[in-house]
Amino acid sequence: MNWYLQVLKEHYADFSGRARRKEYWMFVLFNVIFGAVVGFISGLLGIKWLASIYSLAVLVPSIAVSVRRLHDTGRSGWWLLIGLVPLIGSIWLIVLLCLDSQPETNKWGANPKA
């Protein structure tokens, strides 16, 4: 939960630097959980726009943490666009997001594991 809150509070629109795998995947996990809860409550109460508001609120931090995760693997944030390629692009993007950090300092900063 702390990783999710850290991304929202400290790195809301921070596209520079690096993000560890743990930071990225914990954010994704809690984002999916909260999205499901908000979607369920939205459907239960009949307030269809509630889930849309949540999705818009976490759109920028989701992109930002993904860009910082790609930076950690030594790739530019523009690699996110590979996900637009049907089927193969999204699979390749997941592979890139699962790769380990570059152990040394790269042009986006020092290794966050150090």
Side-chain angles (χ1 to χ4, degrees):
M1 181 71 176
N2 289 334
W3 293 102
Y4 179 79
L5 294 174
Q6 180 183 6
V7 169
L8 290 179
K9 289 180 182 178
E10 299 173 19
H11 302 289
Y12 189 84
D14 183 11
F15 292 90
S16 62
R18 296 169 67 165
R20 297 175 55 181
R21 268 188 301 196
K22 186 173 187 176
E23 178 183 355
Y24 175 77
W25 289 110
M26 288 302 205
F27 177 80
V28 169
L29 173 68
F30 282 101
N31 194 23
V32 168
I33 291 170
F34 291 143
V37 168
V38 168
F40 178 75
I41 291 172
S42 174
L44 193 64
L45 298 177
I47 307 171
K48 298 185 187 281
W49 52 267
L50 188 62
S52 299
I53 296 295
Y54 176 76
S55 298
L56 285 174
V58 296
L59 178 66
V60 172
S62 298
I63 295 170
V65 75
S66 299
V67 167
R68 288 186 290 113
R69 177 70 202 124
L70 288 170
H71 287 174
D72 195 40
T73 63
R75 289 168 181 79
S76 169
W78 290 105
W79 275 93
L80 270 180
L81 296 177
I82 194 111
L84 297 175
V85 176
L87 188 63
I88 295 173
S90 57
I91 293 170
W92 184 247
L93 183 60
I94 290 171
V95 168
L96 291 177
L97 293 170
C98 289
L99 291 176
D100 196 14
S101 304
Q102 280 188 332
E104 67 278 349
T105 299
N106 63 21
K107 64 182 179 180
W108 292 284
N111 187 353
K113 287 184 181 178

